[in-house]
Amino acid sequence: MSTSFLSHFGNLKDPRDDKNKRYPLMEILFLTIAAVVSGAAGWEGIEEFGKAKIDWLRRFFPYANGVPLHDRVRVVMISLSPKHLQECFASWIAAAASVLPDEVVAIDGKTLRRSYDRGGGRGPIHMVSAWAKVNGVCLGQVKTEAKSNEITAIPQLLELLELRGCIVTLDAMGCQREIAQAIQEKGADYVLAVKDNQPNLHEAIVDYFETADRCGFEGVPVERHRELDSDHGRIEQRRYELVADLRTLPNPSAWAGLKAIGRAIRECTHNGETRVETRYYIVSFAQGAERFAGAVRGHWGVENSLHWVLDVTFGEDDCRIRSGYGAENFAVIRHIALNLLKRDPSKGSVRKKL
């Protein structure tokens, strides 16, 4: 394990002066990851884990000076370059979990709610992550200062990832021409949700489907896919429609690779009440309603597969780490821990594995 670990993280730049390296960087980083995998939620927990498991840690690294105090761990981890740590993370996961053809990669943002620093005048940080649905792992993440800045963070995240043959999904915030272009340049397809932030495009797609509804889709080149789930008195029907007709869209050639428009209708009945949710999309492939459905469904699932687990299992929203790059780097460590736990072959929930 130490060889594999070093091959991906060994070139990480140590932020300390040469004279202040009683504990090697790789020992501190390895200790931190192992501790978080075992449930540590802060610097003190990392030190406690290290003291309890020093013999196990020495199976991988010397730890000639024992385990560093939590303050030493903190100083190093809040000073590490987040950009370089994220690059190491992306390199490691690319080697550990090869992306499958047609893998749905959902890119979505999450605010670390208690990472704000009121005294320093900083709001909570917002992490944009890429989640591979089939593999069940996070492929990478970048930080932005606010949700509204996801537009600038997403291209940075795309640069880190190997996406050839994948389907990248994004909510309406990511429905931008530059992002569509970047996805295509990575050799991937896209399914991008369209809302009022692209008013002309959204209006044209809604109008197209409503007109098609009125004429019974006569003459419309539509592909359909339906799904039905029922569980504990809840019935959910999902209908997907993919149409390779762009004639009514405003300037469709401005969207790199655009081939079709899509509509997803989710109807959920529970306790006698029915809720209907309709969403619209632009799509870079012209055929395959079932493929379109899998991409939409995959993006809907990222909330439970990634964000919910980070909050409930790792307590991310309650974490008060905020100094320096601490919040951002600890978020990366949590993603590493989650990936390791997800890839563990034993049965049971992430919490049980942890």
Side-chain angles (χ1 to χ4, degrees):
M1 181 183 291
S2 58
T3 303
S4 175
F5 179 79
L6 283 170
S7 68
H8 297 288
F9 292 90
N11 291 327
L12 195 60
K13 189 177 186 325
D14 196 323
R16 298 168 295 175
D17 296 332
D18 289 339
K19 64 181 180 181
N20 191 26
K21 292 184 179 179
R22 179 176 169 83
Y23 302 95
L25 177 60
M26 288 301 99
E27 291 187 357
I28 293 175
L29 186 61
F30 187 80
L31 164 66
T32 301
I33 294 171
V36 173
V37 168
S38 300
W43 313 124
E44 291 85 355
I46 293 169
E47 180 187 343
E48 290 170 6
F49 169 86
K51 289 178 177 177
K53 299 293 184 180
I54 184 61
D55 291 338
W56 179 85
L57 290 167
R58 282 175 171 156
R59 290 166 54 188
F60 306 100
F61 292 97
Y63 289 93
N65 294 308
V67 173
L69 297 176
H70 66 270
D71 279 344
R72 287 182 179 265
V73 175
R74 173 185 171 277
V75 167
V76 171
M77 293 306 299
I78 69 173
S79 304
L80 276 177
S81 164
K83 181 177 183 293
H84 293 155
L85 182 60
Q86 289 158 5
E87 288 171 352
C88 293
F89 172 92
S91 168
W92 166 68
I93 197 59
S98 57
V99 178
L100 304 172
D102 266 6
E103 170 75 277
V104 175
V105 177
I107 296 181
D108 199 25
K110 180 182 183 297
T111 300
L112 280 59
R113 301 196 181 281
R114 304 201 61 182
S115 61
Y116 62 87
D117 183 358
R118 188 174 289 115
R122 293 186 300 180
I125 69 171
H126 191 76
M127 299 294 293
V128 180
S129 304
W131 176 258
K133 176 180 177 292
V134 175
N135 270 306
V137 295
C138 177
L139 300 177
Q141 62 286 298
V142 295
K143 185 199 79 165
T144 175
E145 293 296 343
K147 183 174 175 60
S148 60
N149 289 336
E150 282 189 20
I151 295 171
T152 58
I154 290 168
Q156 298 171 28
L157 178 56
L158 292 171
E159 277 297 313
L160 291 173
L161 308 177
E162 174 53 57
L163 296 170
R164 185 166 298 279
C166 297
I167 304 173
V168 177
T169 66
L170 284 150
D171 63 17
M173 181 72 73
C175 186
Q176 306 289 332
R177 293 179 178 88
E178 296 79 6
I179 291 174
Q181 177 73 40
I183 293 169
Q184 288 279 286
E185 289 174 355
K186 298 292 287 189
D189 278 314
Y190 60 75
V191 173
L192 307 181
V194 183
K195 290 185 179 178
D196 288 338
N197 64 320
Q198 294 286 349
N200 295 333
L201 181 63
H202 182 252
E203 182 181 357
I205 297 174
V206 172
D207 183 66
Y208 186 100
F209 279 103
E210 289 181 348
T211 301
D213 285 335
R214 288 193 293 271
C215 70
F217 277 82
E218 184 177 350
V220 175
V222 62
E223 284 191 43
R224 290 190 171 95
H225 179 72
R226 292 175 179 267
E227 298 170 343
L228 176 65
D229 288 327
S230 59
D231 184 35
H232 300 293
R234 183 182 65 86
I235 300 174
E236 183 170 300
Q237 300 181 68
R238 297 183 293 274
R239 305 194 304 276
Y240 305 91
E241 296 158 340
L242 187 67
V243 177
D245 184 0
L246 309 178
R247 290 173 298 170
T248 63
L249 298 191
N251 196 17
S253 62
W255 296 87
L258 178 57
K259 297 288 195 307
I261 56 176
R263 179 170 72 172
I265 303 172
R266 182 161 62 173
E267 183 177 307
C268 184
T269 302
H270 185 60
N271 292 333
E273 294 185 7
T274 299
R275 293 184 294 106
V276 179
E277 179 184 70
T278 303
R279 296 189 183 185
Y280 300 91
Y281 300 86
I282 56 172
V283 183
S284 67
F285 49 88
Q287 285 146 349
E290 188 171 356
R291 188 177 182 224
F292 167 60
V296 172
R297 190 172 59 250
H299 193 85
W300 282 341
V302 72
E303 188 67 35
N304 290 332
S305 300
L306 179 61
H307 299 334
W308 187 86
V309 174
L310 289 171
D311 280 342
V312 173
T313 304
F314 290 92
E316 183 166 79
D317 264 357
D318 292 327
C319 183
R320 298 304 300 269
I321 293 173
R322 60 186 69 169
S323 299
Y325 299 123
E328 186 175 356
N329 285 338
F330 212 89
V332 176
I333 299 298
R334 278 191 289 263
H335 281 116
I336 293 173
L338 177 58
N339 282 357
L340 289 168
L341 292 165
K342 285 279 190 179
R343 290 178 60 77
D344 176 72
S346 64
K347 295 181 179 180
S349 66
V350 171
R351 180 177 289 280
K352 181 179 179 182
K353 292 179 181 181
L354 184 149

